[in-house]
């Protein structure tokens, strides 16, 4: 059941940056009110994954039904990760609590809760590190910021490390380069060891482990979904596309998040891919077994992330593909750009080569290690070389801005290519304020598995900075659309826009590309991919 969304006026008046709690950060009680936490994982989900301590419990309960030796489990897990990840220990040691990150977190901006300052959120974990693993902490105790691991501490970890979307905006401003998102990742791994996790992450992980995608779509169902899309494309354009599925011998394996295959507005982005590939005659195949590019393992633990990521290379090898083209996704590309080569690079088959655009001849040397190219840079390359026939006037009813999704933007530096594409398929493009875009972009507030209904209050609080920037361009320029290249964003930004900037729609990038494409053999284009008449949309816009 969705948590009741707080009224905007009540939300705004409840934010108080000036009057901090009179108690210290570790002595201030935590408030487990509805709307600020997510439902725990169902026991049957954990059992399927062989994860520890499956049981029925609720964060609102006093007793979380932890294992008897849970403190020992957490301590040993902490020690193991300190030894395994040198960066983790460095991040815990070098913070000087300067506060440069304090006001950079969207959850802090929207809540005013000091523990949502990245520096203080990290202190929740760092205080246990000092007590258990540093000499100064063992000798000086609380004077050194150390504290003993108790059940209230674990509950605090759960509340606040699941009020972090791992967007890394705080890390951008840290003078020491501390990646607070990786501290959150480690905290979540420790919580997993004693069965403290959330269902909105673990169920997609289980589904992907079983069927190859987060939604649990079986191969035959995925095939039928794609066929339905092809029927709609033919109805709206007169062009019949026939994407290959599980076919061996094609040059490219195309992988996209399952959100593109399942729900609005993602399906229109998927339809856009299919039209684009048909338009250029791309030699590619889809896979019903690697029908998911997203990776919720990123929010679980490194072993799960590695396993779910590996299926893309496994399918490329099975089908004999030379390289992988990836769709519009956020955490897929965070994993690909930051972790895939070192995790699964050994899985690359002898047939895999540095990606080369077969239409333009461009070699993507930036993908030499991973053998995987982002669809935005692929399409930008096509446009730059004049390989697409475009009529951007079909999108003239749209005044669009662009949301830099955190993972492609900060996680891989994909900043200009989507804008280049957007400006070539839309005549009316407006940027949001500079401190809210590109590397400094604000999060959708629903990333890292937090895009669930029971967390809606915190999503709307965290969505305040993005919503404020969107409302600004809507009021100033009449912006009525925000494009992005992330499947989670396409879902989470809809309620955010409805709440903070009513009247603004959300779209993927390649939905707009497909609207502008001049397809060979097409009918007179009267409808967009949503089945809306262009004439009616223009009249409404005017």
């Amino acid at each position: 059941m969705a948590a009741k969304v707080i009224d905007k006026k009540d939300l705004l008046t409840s934010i108080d940056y000036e009057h901090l709690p009179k108690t210290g950060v570790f002595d201030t009680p935590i408030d487990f009110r509805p709307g600020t936490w997510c439902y725990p994982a169902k026991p049957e989900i954990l059992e399927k994954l062989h994860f520890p301590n499956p049981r029925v419990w609720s964060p609102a309960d006093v007793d979380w039904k932890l294992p008897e030796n849970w403190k020992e489990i957490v301590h040993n897990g902490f020690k193991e990760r300190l030894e395994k990840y040198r960066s983790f220990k460095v991040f815990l040691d070098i913070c000087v609590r300067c506060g440069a990150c304090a006001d950079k977190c969207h959850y802090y901006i929207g809540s005013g809760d000091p523990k949502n300052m990245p520096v203080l959120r990290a202190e929740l974990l760092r205080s246990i590190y000092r007590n258990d693993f540093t000499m100064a902490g063992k000798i000086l105790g609380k004077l050194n910021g150390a504290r003993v691991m108790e059940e209230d501490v674990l509950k605090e970890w759960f509340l606040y490390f699941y009020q972090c979307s791992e967007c890394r905006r705080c890390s951008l401003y840290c003078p020491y380069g501390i990646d607070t998102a990786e501290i959150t990742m480690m905290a979540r791994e420790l919580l997993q060891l004693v069965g403290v996790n959330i269902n909105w992450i673990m169920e997609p992980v289980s589904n992907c482990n079983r069927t190859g995608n987060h939604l649990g779509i079986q191969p035959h169902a995925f095939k039928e979904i794609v066929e339905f899309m092809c029927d709609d494309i033919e109805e709206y354009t007169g062009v019949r596309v026939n994407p290959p599925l599980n076919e061996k011998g094609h040059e490219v394996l195309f992988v996209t998040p399952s959100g593109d295959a399942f729900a609005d507005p993602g399906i229109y982005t998927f339809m856009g891919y299919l039209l684009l590939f048909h338009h250029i005659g791309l030699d590619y195949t889809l896979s019903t077994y690697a029908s998911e590019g997203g990776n919720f393992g990123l929010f679980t633990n490194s072993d799960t992330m590695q396993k779910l990521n590996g299926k893309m290379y496994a399918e490329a090898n099975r089908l004999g593909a030379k390289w992988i083209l990836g769709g519009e996704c956020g955490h897929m590309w965070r994993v690909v750009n930051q972790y895939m080569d070192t995790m699964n690079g050994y899985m690359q088959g002898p047939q895999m080569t540095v990606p080369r655009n077969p239409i333009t001849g461009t070699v993507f040397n930036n993908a030499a290690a991973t053998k995987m190219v982002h669809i935005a840079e692929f399409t930008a390359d096509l446009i730059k070389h004049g390989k697409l026939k475009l009529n951007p006037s079909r999108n003239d009813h749209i005044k669009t801005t662009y949301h830099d999704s955190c993972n492609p933007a900060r996680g891989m530096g994909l900043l200009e290519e989507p804008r280049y594409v957007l400006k070539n398929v839309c005549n009316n493009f407006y940027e949001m304020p500079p401190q809210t875009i590109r590397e400094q972009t604000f999060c959708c507030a629903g990333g890292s598995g937090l895009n669930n209904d029971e967390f809606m209050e915190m999503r709307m609080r965290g969505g305040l900075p993005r919503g404020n920037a969107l409302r600004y361009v809507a009021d100033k320029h009449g912006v009525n659309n925000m494009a992005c290249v992330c499947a989670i964003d396409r879902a989470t930004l809809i309620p955010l826009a409805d709440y903070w900037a009513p009247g603004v729609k959300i779209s993927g990038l390649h939905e707009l590309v497909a609207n502008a494409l001049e397809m060979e053999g097409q009918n007179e284009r009267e409808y967009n991919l949503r089945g809306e008449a262009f004439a009616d949309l223009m009249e409404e816009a005017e």
Side-chain angles (χ1 to χ4, degrees):
M1 182 181 294
K4 183 179 179 181
V5 181
I6 188 171
D7 181 84
K8 269 192 291 191
K9 291 182 180 179
D10 293 338
L11 188 153
L12 291 169
T13 55
S14 70
I15 302 171
D16 187 354
Y17 305 124
E18 296 181 2
H19 301 93
L20 298 178
K22 294 181 180 180
T23 50
V25 62
F26 299 143
D27 300 319
T28 304
I30 51 179
D31 180 14
F32 277 95
R33 69 178 187 277
T36 64
W37 48 266
C38 307
Y39 296 149
K42 300 172 185 175
E44 60 269 24
I45 296 297
L46 297 183
E47 288 169 357
K48 290 177 183 177
L49 291 168
H50 305 292
F51 270 60
N53 199 21
R55 79 265 185 227
V56 176
W57 65 285
S58 170
D61 296 339
V62 174
D63 182 8
W64 283 18
K65 303 177 183 176
L66 299 172
E68 288 187 9
N69 63 333
W70 72 267
K71 291 183 183 180
E72 179 185 356
I73 294 171
V74 171
H75 178 86
N76 291 338
F78 212 139
K79 181 181 179 182
E80 178 186 344
R81 282 154 184 78
L82 288 170
E83 294 171 351
K84 184 177 181 181
Y85 302 111
R86 183 169 57 180
S87 60
F88 182 38
K89 188 176 188 303
V90 170
F91 292 158
L92 292 176
D93 280 332
I94 66 174
C95 176
V96 296
R97 291 178 280 190
C98 67
C101 65
D103 61 346
K104 306 306 185 295
C105 176
H106 48 283
Y107 289 120
Y108 171 66
I109 294 172
S111 69
D113 185 343
K115 291 181 186 179
N116 268 325
M117 293 179 182
V119 58
L120 291 187
R121 188 187 293 115
E123 283 294 303
L124 304 179
L125 191 71
R126 193 175 280 118
S127 61
I128 303 302
Y129 165 71
R130 291 195 186 102
N131 186 78
D132 291 5
F133 300 102
T134 71
M135 185 62 68
K138 291 177 180 178
I139 295 173
L140 298 175
K142 196 172 182 179
L143 291 174
N144 189 245
R147 60 176 174 166
V148 177
M149 188 69 190
E150 300 291 353
E151 196 165 327
D152 285 348
V153 176
L154 190 81
K155 292 181 177 182
E156 199 172 41
W157 283 8
F158 173 79
L159 187 66
Y160 286 102
F161 287 114
Y162 284 101
Q163 286 183 19
C164 169
S165 55
E166 302 180 14
C167 79
R168 300 175 71 241
R169 190 173 193 267
C170 54
S171 305
L172 183 71
Y173 296 91
C174 178
Y176 293 93
I178 296 172
D179 191 340
T180 309
E182 293 211 351
I183 293 178
T184 293
M185 291 164 65
M186 292 297 101
R188 291 189 181 185
E189 286 201 19
L190 296 177
L191 290 169
Q192 291 281 358
L193 296 177
V194 292
V196 177
N197 37 46
I198 68 173
N199 198 67
W200 201 254
I201 290 176
M202 301 312 295
E203 188 162 348
V205 166
S206 177
N207 287 336
C208 200
N209 185 63
R210 180 171 55 89
T211 67
N213 63 72
H214 292 154
L215 301 171
I217 303 171
Q218 299 285 354
H220 63 278
F222 183 81
K223 177 177 181 292
E224 290 175 355
I225 289 170
V226 173
E227 289 173 348
F228 287 143
M229 290 184 190
C230 294
D231 292 340
D232 286 344
I233 288 172
E234 185 173 18
E235 179 181 352
Y236 301 143
T237 70
V239 176
R240 183 69 191 183
V241 300
N242 295 291
L245 286 160
N246 299 326
E247 289 188 5
K248 295 183 178 181
H250 292 281
E251 180 176 356
V252 177
L253 169 64
F254 179 66
V255 181
T256 195
S258 55
D260 286 349
F262 182 72
D264 297 354
I267 57 173
Y268 310 122
T269 300
F270 202 130
M271 291 162 68
Y273 304 145
L274 299 180
L275 270 175
L276 173 67
F277 300 157
H278 183 85
H279 182 71
I280 62 176
L282 184 67
D283 180 24
Y284 79 104
T285 187
L286 298 167
S287 167
T288 59
Y289 301 100
S291 54
E292 175 68 72
N295 193 328
F296 272 49
L298 175 64
F299 319 132
T300 308
N301 60 44
S302 56
D303 291 338
T304 304
M305 173 170 56
Q306 180 179 13
K307 181 179 182 181
L308 299 186
N309 173 263
K311 69 181 181 300
M312 295 191 292
Y313 280 144
E315 273 300 270
N317 293 338
R318 186 180 74 86
L319 298 173
K322 294 181 179 179
W323 55 280
I324 303 169
L325 181 62
E328 298 180 16
C329 185
H331 42 86
M332 170 173 81
W333 284 102
R334 171 90 164 273
V335 174
V336 168
N337 190 66
Q338 292 190 291
Y339 305 110
M340 186 162 91
D341 180 43
T342 52
M343 287 192 309
N344 290 321
Y346 71 93
M347 292 181 65
Q348 295 178 18
Q351 86 287 350
M352 298 193 75
T353 61
V354 178
R356 174 184 174 276
N357 190 328
I359 312 302
T360 67
T362 298
V363 177
F364 295 98
N365 288 311
N366 60 310
T370 61
K371 311 298 187 294
M372 191 162 176
V373 175
H374 193 288
I375 185 71
E377 57 185 329
F378 180 76
T379 303
D381 180 60
L382 293 170
I383 294 174
K384 181 180 179 181
H385 288 86
K387 299 300 183 181
L388 301 185
K389 297 178 181 178
L390 298 170
N391 180 4
S393 67
R394 288 208 200 96
N395 288 319
D396 278 354
H397 60 283
I398 292 174
K399 292 184 178 180
T400 191
T401 190
Y402 178 70
H403 166 68
D404 290 276
S405 301
C406 300
N407 289 317
R410 274 190 292 271
M412 65 177 295
L414 191 78
L415 305 173
E416 301 307 325
E417 293 89 342
R419 286 176 168 81
Y420 180 78
V421 173
L422 199 53
K423 291 174 183 179
N424 276 276
V425 300
C426 293
N427 289 321
N428 305 304
F429 173 73
Y430 303 92
E431 289 278 22
M432 288 179 282
Q435 68 273 21
T436 71
I437 59 173
R438 292 187 166 88
E439 294 95 336
Q440 300 182 72
T441 186
F442 276 106
C443 183
C444 68
S448 80
L450 304 181
N451 55 318
N452 52 66
D453 288 345
E454 67 266 23
F455 195 64
M456 193 60 77
E457 180 188 326
M458 288 308 299
R459 283 174 55 186
M460 294 304 102
R461 287 185 178 278
L464 169 58
R466 171 47 72 228
N468 188 46
L470 179 58
R471 180 64 178 267
Y472 173 80
V473 289
D475 290 344
K476 184 174 182 178
H477 302 294
V479 163
N480 58 13
N481 186 78
M482 180 159 61
C484 61
V485 290
C486 175
I488 285 182
D489 282 343
R490 283 194 289 277
T492 59
L493 288 171
I494 292 173
L496 183 149
D498 289 343
Y499 190 80
W500 291 113
V504 178
K505 293 183 178 180
I506 307 300
S507 75
L509 180 65
H510 281 77
E511 174 188 346
L512 304 180
V513 171
N515 283 343
L517 277 176
E518 292 282 9
M519 302 293 296
E520 185 176 346
Q522 70 181 13
N523 295 337
E524 184 67 29
R525 292 285 295 274
E526 297 180 2
Y527 299 95
N528 65 13
L529 293 185
R530 302 189 183 204
E532 301 165 333
F534 285 118
D536 293 342
L537 293 170
M538 286 300 299
E539 183 178 347
E540 181 182 340
E542 291 170 359

